[in-house]
């Protein structure tokens, strides 16, 4: 018990100390966890024998796939089929062949070379998905492509485990006295096989029988998810005990992982499938919130065990060889990934995210190497080197994402310095920025019969607009020469809708200075930005979330007792009072003093809030008097 408490304290303390530091330095949480493992393992020697703990921590990967499945509806999964089969299948095949040929050239038998190729072809689901989510890259084209390949790799582990025993490079069969054939494996392997068989539904079955049992288990999971989930959750909901939802969520994940193990399938794949089945359930968000804390802790523990399990002694004994092999793995996989990214039409940023994100070996490599040793596919020395190469490539991965951040910044900078389009049109309305906000404004104005001139600094957005039949010009709208080429001198309205709030303020200030009579409509990020735009000279300032939030508030009032008309009166009163409040507070706003430290601003804000309550009460009271009259 004391040993357990000591180990738990060491792991948690290492995470609490190193991960926040790594995050603040911009290195990401994954690298922080890996560094923590290096410190408490090879560094200080506080933990040892991390292999068993790593198997437990891999449930973090299982839970992560379950949550991803919850966020992915079956139709979305079907839409990914071309990436799953084409991009994922080609990545595994080409990487496997390239590594296999390299190993044969180095003198290994073709069987061993093929097994090494399978091991290296797999990437780290845990590190890649965690980092993509942290950086907000999961929904990008490159992020979705990376996820598709990772899912294909998880599926490919199953046939790899089937093929591995056939690749043994030492005799694995012997003749019995009666002339029959038996496997010539050691006693440890026999006992391990017996233990596995005692907890397996497919051990000893013919191929077609095992396939039938496996398909039956998968079908049972799908049917239970479709028809049994809602009654189960309603039953649990009736207990009014929140902890029961957590217990059910854990039971689903652990139970399905256990069933997958019984038929020799990947637990992560099974829980992902269950998550997809439950994606349309009204209890989806409850399940996600219950699993999320466990997922985060177990994933962190998994990364720590990877760092703690690095064989530093072998690394010190063969530093150039080990580091060279890890870099070679990244280069070979990166080359294959980059070719596929270009072949499947990913754009520049997507190409580099896809290439650098998946260039490492993965946690399933530990599984395959260990299994390969048991099946006499890998000798002990080779297995030790492979494990170290896999761990080193995973350790390097966060650095590859930092390289991607630098490349993305350079690509964006290069795009900004790209020569702007020649603007050959003028119109009464200039729209600067054609993101989510500017698109709606542009469509409304054009559909009402007025011409617009659209400017944006994102070339991909401009090209996308043109595909849908809308004309736009590439260039930085804050550059004076572009504004004048677009007709700033004769335009009636300028819409400043840039994503960058500083650029929007700069644009408004310049336009007001050269055209005092121009009507300027500006997009504001928040209230502080409203004040800045007010001082810069904008006529109409629209906060991004204000109108939609106000409408949502009206819906709330309509469903808590107010009539539709009373809710509309409250909404209108709030709207006009908020505009008055912004104008009043803008006079007291000081950009050099935080609002929380501006006493005059705080006092006036409190006064105006009391005035709002009075205004709402008065408006509703007057409405009541009219109804009585």
């Amino acid at each position: 018990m004391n040993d357990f408490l000591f180990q738990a304290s060491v792991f948690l303390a290492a995470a609490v100390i190193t991960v926040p530091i790594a995050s603040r330095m911009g290195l990401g949480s994954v690298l922080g966890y890996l560094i923590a493992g290096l410190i408490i393992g090879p560094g200080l020697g506080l933990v040892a024998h991390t292999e068993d703990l790593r198997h437990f921590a891999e449930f973090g990967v299982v839970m992560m796939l379950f949550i991803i499945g919850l966020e992915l509806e079956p139709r979305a999964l079907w839409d990914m089929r071309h990436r799953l089969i084409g991009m994922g299948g080609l990545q595994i095949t080409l990487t496997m062949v390239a590594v296999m040929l390299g190993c044969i050239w180095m003198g290994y038998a073709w069987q061993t070379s093929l097994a090494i190729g399978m091991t290296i072809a797999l990437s780290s689901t845990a590190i890649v998905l965690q980092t993509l989510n942290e950086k907000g890259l999961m929904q990008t084209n490159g992020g979705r492509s990376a996820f598709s390949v990772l899912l294909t790799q998880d599926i490919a582990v199953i046939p790899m485990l089937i093929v591995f025993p056939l690749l043994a490079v030492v005799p694995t069969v012997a003749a019995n006295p009666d002339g029959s054939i038996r496997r010539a494996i050691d006693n440890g392997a026999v006992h391990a096989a017996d233990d596995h068989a005692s907890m397996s539904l497919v051990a000893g079955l013919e191929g077609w029988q095992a396939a039938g049992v496996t398909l039956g288990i998968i079908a049972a999971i799908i049917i239970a998810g479709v028809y049994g989930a809602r009654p189960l959750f309603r039953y649990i909901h009736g207990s009014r005990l929140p902890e029961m939802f957590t217990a059910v969520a854990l039971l689903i994940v652990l139970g399905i992982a256990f069933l997958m193990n019984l038929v020799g399938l990947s637990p992560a794949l099974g829980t992902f499938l269950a998550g997809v089945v439950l994606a349309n359930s009204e209890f989806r968000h409850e399940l996600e919130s219950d699993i999320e804390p466990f997922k985060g802790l177990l994933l962190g523990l998994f990364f720590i065990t990877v760092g703690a399990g690095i064989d530093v002694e072998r690394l010190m004994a063969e530093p150039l060889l080990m580091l060279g092999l890890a870099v070679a793995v990244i280069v070979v996989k990166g080359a294959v990934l980059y070719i596929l990214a270009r072949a499947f039409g990913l754009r520049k940023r997507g190409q580099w995210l896809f290439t650098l994100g998946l260039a490492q070996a993965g946690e399933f490599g530990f599984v395959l190497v260990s299994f390969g040793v048991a099946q006499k596919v890998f000798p002990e020395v080779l297995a030790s080197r492979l494990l170290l190469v896999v761990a080193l490539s995973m350790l390097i991965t966060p650095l590859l994402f930092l390289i991607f951040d630098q490349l993305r910044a350079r690509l964006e900078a290069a795009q900004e310095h790209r020569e702007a389009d020649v603007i050959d049109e003028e119109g009464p309305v200039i729209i600067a920025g054609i993101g989510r906000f500017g698109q709606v404004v542009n469509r409304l104005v054009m559909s009402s019969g007025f011409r617009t001139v659209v400017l944006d600094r994102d070339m991909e957005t401009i090209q996308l607009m043109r595909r849908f039949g809308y004309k736009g010009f590439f260039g930085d709208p804050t550059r004076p020469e572009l504004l004048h080429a677009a007709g700033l001198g004769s335009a009636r309205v300028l819409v400043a809708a840039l994503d960058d709030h500083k650029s929007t303020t700069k644009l408004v200030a310049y336009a007001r200075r050269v055209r005092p009579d121009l009507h300027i409509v500006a997009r504001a990020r928040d209230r502080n930005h409203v004040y800045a735009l007010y001082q810069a000279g904008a006529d109409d300032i629209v906060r991004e979330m204000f109108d939609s939030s106000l409408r949502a508030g009206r819906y709330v009032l309509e469903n808590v007792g107010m009539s539709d008309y009373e809710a509309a009166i409250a909404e209108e009163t709030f709207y006009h009072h908020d505009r008055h409040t912004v104008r009043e507070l803008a006079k007291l706003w000081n950009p050099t003093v935080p609002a929380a430290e501006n006493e005059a601003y705080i006092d006036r804000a409190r006064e105006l809030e009391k005035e709002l309550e009075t205004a709402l009460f008065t408006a509703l009271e007057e409405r009541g008097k009219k109804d009585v009259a």
Side-chain angles (χ1 to χ4, degrees):
M1 184 65 181
N2 288 336
D3 183 61
F4 168 77
L5 292 176
F6 173 74
Q7 296 281 342
S9 300
V10 167
F11 276 101
L12 291 174
V16 168
I17 293 172
T18 58
V19 174
I21 294 175
S23 297
R24 290 187 180 185
M25 293 175 64
L27 301 177
S29 67
V30 174
L31 187 56
Y33 283 119
L34 292 171
I35 293 172
L38 277 170
I39 293 173
I40 65 176
L44 300 177
L46 297 176
V47 296
H49 308 297
T50 59
E51 188 68 25
D52 293 336
L53 189 59
R54 183 185 297 152
H55 291 318
F56 173 72
E58 283 174 357
F59 271 106
V61 183
V62 172
M63 291 179 175
M64 179 172 60
L65 266 294
F66 180 66
I67 290 177
I68 290 173
L70 286 175
E71 297 173 350
L72 191 68
E73 295 184 3
R75 181 175 294 276
L77 185 61
W78 175 250
D79 291 339
M80 293 166 58
R81 64 190 184 278
H82 298 298
R83 286 192 180 120
L84 289 171
I85 299 173
M87 187 177 284
L90 283 173
Q91 182 274 324
I92 294 171
T93 303
L94 294 178
T95 303
M96 191 168 58
V97 170
V99 173
M100 177 183 174
L101 293 176
C103 291
I104 291 175
W105 176 78
M106 294 171 64
Y108 288 103
W110 71 266
Q111 298 97 324
T112 304
S113 300
L114 178 58
I116 295 174
M118 292 180 184
T119 303
I120 299 301
L122 305 177
S123 303
S124 176
T125 302
I127 292 180
V128 176
L129 294 187
Q130 176 81 354
T131 308
L132 290 177
N133 283 321
E134 277 187 8
K135 295 180 177 291
L137 297 170
M138 180 61 85
Q139 297 306 318
T140 63
N141 201 15
R144 290 194 299 270
S145 298
F147 171 70
S148 301
V149 170
L150 289 170
L151 184 56
T152 306
Q153 291 176 356
D154 284 347
I155 298 172
V157 171
I158 303 162
M160 288 181 182
L161 290 173
I162 295 173
V163 170
F164 252 58
L166 306 178
L167 301 177
V169 292
V170 296
T172 58
V173 295
N176 287 319
D178 61 359
S180 61
I181 301 298
R182 63 177 173 83
R183 285 185 178 274
I185 57 179
D186 57 31
N187 292 331
V190 170
H191 293 311
D194 290 341
D195 291 340
H196 176 73
S198 65
M199 294 292 289
S200 174
L201 295 178
V202 295
L205 297 181
E206 297 290 339
W208 66 271
Q209 293 173 325
V213 172
T214 301
L215 293 176
I217 291 292
I218 294 175
I221 292 173
I222 295 174
I223 294 171
V226 173
Y227 297 104
R230 284 183 173 86
L232 172 62
F233 289 128
R234 292 193 184 108
Y235 170 73
I236 296 299
H237 179 71
S239 69
R240 305 293 179 184
L241 296 172
E243 62 270 21
M244 286 297 100
F245 268 107
T246 304
V248 168
L250 290 174
L251 176 62
I252 290 173
V253 173
L254 297 178
I256 291 175
F258 176 66
L259 286 176
M260 291 295 101
N261 274 329
L262 288 181
V263 294
L265 296 182
S266 164
L269 179 62
T271 51
F272 172 78
L273 178 62
V276 172
V277 172
L278 295 172
N280 292 321
S281 167
E282 62 268 31
F283 298 98
R284 180 186 74 179
H285 297 295
E286 182 72 27
L287 282 169
E288 188 173 346
S289 63
D290 288 334
I291 291 294
E292 185 70 34
F294 296 97
K295 180 213 77 172
L297 281 174
L298 289 173
L299 269 181
L301 180 60
F302 172 77
F303 297 137
I304 291 176
T305 60
V306 171
I310 290 179
D311 188 351
V312 175
E313 291 184 4
R314 179 169 292 278
L315 179 60
M316 292 296 101
E318 304 173 313
L320 295 179
L321 176 62
M322 292 296 98
L323 291 173
L325 289 174
V327 172
V329 166
I330 292 172
V331 170
V332 171
K333 289 191 72 173
V336 172
L337 290 163
Y338 186 75
I339 292 171
L340 289 176
R342 292 183 64 89
F344 280 81
L346 295 184
R347 298 184 183 276
K348 283 291 184 183
R349 279 175 286 188
Q351 290 174 7
W352 286 114
L353 175 60
F354 183 74
T355 299
L356 295 173
L358 296 175
Q360 77 294 121
E363 55 275 356
F364 278 118
F366 298 123
V367 177
L368 290 179
V369 172
S370 301
F371 186 65
V373 172
Q375 298 297 322
K376 307 299 182 184
V377 177
F378 298 131
E380 290 289 347
V381 174
L382 176 60
S384 177
R385 287 175 175 168
L386 275 176
L387 289 173
L388 182 55
V389 168
V390 170
L392 286 174
S393 70
M394 293 172 70
L395 185 64
I396 295 171
T397 301
L399 301 179
L400 297 180
F401 275 101
L402 293 179
I403 294 174
F404 166 74
D405 290 337
Q406 295 298 319
L407 287 172
R408 179 173 61 173
R410 290 187 179 184
L411 289 172
E412 291 174 353
Q415 180 174 283
E416 289 181 2
H417 290 91
R418 174 178 170 170
E419 185 176 349
D421 290 338
V422 176
I423 302 175
D424 55 4
E425 290 185 7
E426 293 187 4
V429 180
I430 299 174
I431 298 179
I434 196 67
R436 293 172 299 174
F437 187 97
Q439 284 181 21
V440 176
V441 176
N442 184 53
R443 289 171 58 197
L444 174 61
V445 174
M446 288 188 65
S447 62
S448 300
F450 295 94
R451 292 178 59 194
T452 64
V453 179
V454 175
L455 305 175
D456 199 285
R457 66 180 66 177
D458 190 330
M459 190 62 204
E460 292 183 9
T461 301
I462 293 296
Q463 291 174 341
L464 182 63
M465 276 186 60
R466 290 171 180 169
R467 289 184 63 185
F468 283 90
Y470 295 98
K471 189 170 184 179
F473 297 96
F474 170 76
D476 185 354
T478 62
R479 292 170 58 184
E481 64 272 20
L482 289 183
L483 287 172
H484 287 286
L488 181 63
S490 59
R492 295 170 57 187
V493 180
L494 168 67
V495 180
L498 300 173
D499 289 333
D500 180 37
H501 67 285
K502 292 182 180 179
S503 297
T504 302
T505 306
K506 177 182 176 182
L507 172 61
V508 170
Y510 175 79
R512 176 58 66 220
R513 187 167 64 252
V514 299
R515 280 286 311 276
D517 60 324
L518 179 68
H519 192 92
I520 301 176
V521 180
R523 163 193 178 183
R525 187 178 65 176
D526 52 28
R527 182 165 284 193
N528 286 335
H529 193 204
V530 171
Y531 302 147
L533 291 170
Y534 178 81
Q535 293 184 357
D539 296 290
D540 294 315
I541 303 170
V542 182
R543 275 174 281 167
E544 293 176 349
M545 306 299 293
F546 180 71
D547 291 325
S548 56
S549 300
L550 200 58
R551 195 191 324 165
R554 190 187 79 221
Y555 294 153
V556 172
L557 294 177
E558 291 172 356
N559 287 277
V560 294
M562 281 190 178
S563 66
D564 291 357
Y565 185 75
E566 288 173 335
I569 290 292
E571 178 188 21
E572 184 180 1
T573 304
F574 186 97
Y575 172 80
H576 289 296
H577 184 273
D578 188 82
R579 289 175 65 86
H580 169 67
T581 297
V582 170
R583 285 193 294 269
E584 288 292 309
L585 293 178
K587 301 173 184 177
L588 302 172
W589 180 70
N590 185 344
T592 62
V593 179
E597 299 175 10
N598 189 331
E599 294 297 333
Y601 179 94
I602 293 173
D603 292 340
R604 184 58 179 146
R606 288 177 174 174
E607 292 173 3
L608 290 167
E609 190 65 23
K610 293 179 181 179
E611 291 178 13
L612 172 61
E613 296 176 6
T614 303
L616 287 171
F617 179 79
T618 303
L620 293 174
E621 190 177 50
E622 290 178 357
R623 166 60 186 167
K625 290 179 180 178
K626 289 180 181 179
D627 289 342
V628 172

